[in-house]
Amino acid sequence: MTQNVIIIGAGAVGMTVATFLSRHTDHHIRVFSSDTHTAYSQCGMPFALGSHLFNLTDLIVKPRRAFIDMGIDLHLRTTVNNINVNNQKVITKDGIFTYDFLVIATGSIPFISPIPGDDLDGVYTLHTLSDGMNIEKALNNSTKAVIIGAGSKGSELAACLNKRGIKVTLIQSTSQVLPSILDPDMALIVRQHLTSQGIRVITGTRVDHINQGKGTHVGSVAAGKEILPADIVIITTGVKPLVDLAKDAGFDIGPAGGIVTDKYLRVKYNGKFLNNVYAGGDCAQVKHLITNIPVLIHSGAAARRMARVIGKNITKKTSTLSTYPPTLHPNVVAMEGLTAGSVGITSQTASKHDIHVISGSSKGYTKAGYYPGARSLYIKLIFSDTRLVGAQVVAAEGVKERIDALSLAIRMGAVIDDLLRWETSYAPPVSMVIDPVTLAAEDRQKKMWK
Amino acid sequence: MTQNVIIIGAGAVGMTVATFLSRHTDHHIRVFSSDTHTAYSQCGMPFALGSHLFNLTDLIVKPRRAFIDMGIDLHLRTTVNNINVNNQKVITKDGIFTYDFLVIATGSIPFISPIPGDDLDGVYTLHTLSDGMNIEKALNNSTKAVIIGAGSKGSELAACLNKRGIKVTLIQSTSQVLPSILDPDMALIVRQHLTSQGIRVITGTRVDHINQGKGTHVGSVAAGKEILPADIVIITTGVKPLVDLAKDAGFDIGPAGGIVTDKYLRVKYNGKFLNNVYAGGDCAQVKHLITNIPVLIHSGAAARRMARVIGKNITKKTSTLSTYPPTLHPNVVAMEGLTAGSVGITSQTASKHDIHVISGSSKGYTKAGYYPGARSLYIKLIFSDTRLVGAQVVAAEGVKERIDALSLAIRMGAVIDDLLRWETSYAPPVSMVIDPVTLAAEDRQKKMWK
């Protein structure tokens, strides 16, 4: 039976759901987005800006034409004004549309604490593809950049712009880089890498002003007691979920600021989860596997997985709905020669939630010690009693795969013995004889003996 | 209480046990070995021969002096003639020594089906460091090598010698390269890589003769209908456990040809496992986790893990012995630009043991599709019903870590749903948005729907 599916948002979640449904159903699929572009790799923008090896437009997943050819009814530059849940209708400038299923994938917008001068020319956020294109233009006339916010995006962007030959200052109000994914000891290794590349890293310092230079263009940034010259300023202080539309429609918004979802990614309305309204991506909150509290996930990989769950659930009977399990939020941050990764909780997050943890750490290498080109590999494992609840890896390579392995380990309930018994493989050009993960587990075990 | 520990074999197992005990006990530790060298990285020899970036002697784990400084009583070039189990004595040319604990770590020797001409000058095996040194000398006067046996060592060596500028022919009697770790479809990708590097790969062909050239030196190899010119021939057709001494002493030898061990790595004598005799490394057989039959493991990583178990058990009370769990035998083979890895069982092994399996495969990339330098990554997952029992990965990078992740997954009892729910991390320079492992699991799931 053909049904009407309305998807709000043409990003990774929206277009993946649309594609999935066009392949597996004959539903009529309408997508509304206020954006000019369909899904593109947001995560790829720092890298496109940092090199001339590929362009921002290469980040667009599929040409618009491809979606239209699939029979998807695409309404770009079209804001949804209102959702009427009781009548199952969506109100836009193009008209009023009825839905059998509704998918809310409105994404996020940059989160900025107001800074005097943040409205000057040359001050940007990096969130949409249009932002990227504006920054690309501006960079051609820039030699000195100040990046405000040393989270994942800011740290990647700092490394990329530095590689492009721009003098970069990276500034963070709290005391370390990558505060939400790394503990201070691991963050220090990242900081040393960025510094060794020629990036100036300032932490524990708030930006007081963005100062005018020539005309209405930025000229410098005042932070602490310093004036940092800048012909471009990029603010990367995080994002917040875009939920006004959902809130106005009466859907529950949770403590993390996202749309409340259950494990099927259904949305809550008047105290119950609806079988025909789903939310996913940056605008939806899901439970964290370790802390059990709702969190927001900003990740293309999560977006794709959520979209698959939503797509399947729209094609299925309620009794056999697919689930999106509680998250461990695995992350990797690639910074030109060094990658940092994290999964589960950090010691800092644990302490915030009164979870007592013990860690085990190791410094190993990416190859056999005698093998030319062996690089340092740092691992930190976080245990609650004997159970693995978090992991951090920092190295030139082999980070993403180890974070993934540890993501699976945590999800499957691994305890220290599982890690100690773990049979790892070995060849001198690709590993040490004993994997650094095992060494970190052994370090944790020593603490047990004390 | 100081006790006498005798270790037979100065390889990875022997010297790791010796080092462990010297750190954690005040036992008197005697090591006997007929070899001239203490532990070295056997796995590193192909790579030392293939480049001039490091030497064979760099493969020696520690200088002999370091072991002597630890108080280890080292008897090199000393064959143990006899073990008297009832009197707990070991008989050597240096005298008769009493033991409280005995560790048998005699390793393995090359396995060769006799080939006419295999006694000519210029025909080698690559097993001991001395073998490596002899080959290194011979290679200086060689331009054409024939390598007999396309297992792990033969394939690595072929890639390494080819890189050194030697014209290499790699010949295998059965129908594919790496037959014990890869299925034919995955082995084909490896073969194509080796061929693309300029190596001639001949499979399904037996070597009939090794022919004389100048004087008593090898000149060619006759195989099938061809005469392959060769000024050096290296036979890499596997190894067999060195168990004569253990057998003569009355210890049980198992169906795989190795010394029978239990999960504590204790050795069997007169129908029972002894609390004071252990075996580990190439000479010991252990159970395979999937097939439940005894297998031999040739791996530096396994040797080190076995040694730790033996070391701990010698320091402990019987009631709290450490265990070496059934093996999944993870393997990686590094071939200059391509790595192949395997863990658990292949489809071929499954068929040999009447285990019905279904596979899921994927071809993915090492980076986001648009990212410069993205390389192909092939994954094959083997399932028995829904349970993961094996995995194979072939790619330029990211192989070892994925094999390790899948090794843990199999050991923890992962089923297809665990792989589908697996949260993987993502950054464009280091991964696709969806990991190829997930794609292979999805491929398997499609087969379930049929």
Side-chain angles (χ1 to χ4, degrees), chain A residues 186-207:
Chain A
M186 298 296 276
L188 197 59
I189 303 159
V190 173
R191 184 193 180 120
Q192 282 163 351
H193 166 76
L194 294 174
T195 304
S196 76
Q197 304 293 300
I199 297 165
R200 180 148 182 234
V201 181
I202 303 173
T203 54
T205 305
R206 291 201 160 273
V207 172

Side-chain angles (χ1 to χ4, degrees), chain A residues 183 343-348 350 355-361 380-392 410 419 444:
Chain A
D183 282 327
V343 61
I345 59 170
T346 61
S347 299
Q348 296 191 105
I355 302 171
H356 177 69
V357 293
I358 311 173
S359 65
S361 298
K380 183 172 184 176
L381 302 177
I382 314 287
F383 294 86
S384 167
D385 191 9
T386 60
R387 189 186 160 207
L388 185 67
V389 293
Q392 297 161 50
I410 298 173
L419 302 184
R444 161 70 184 84

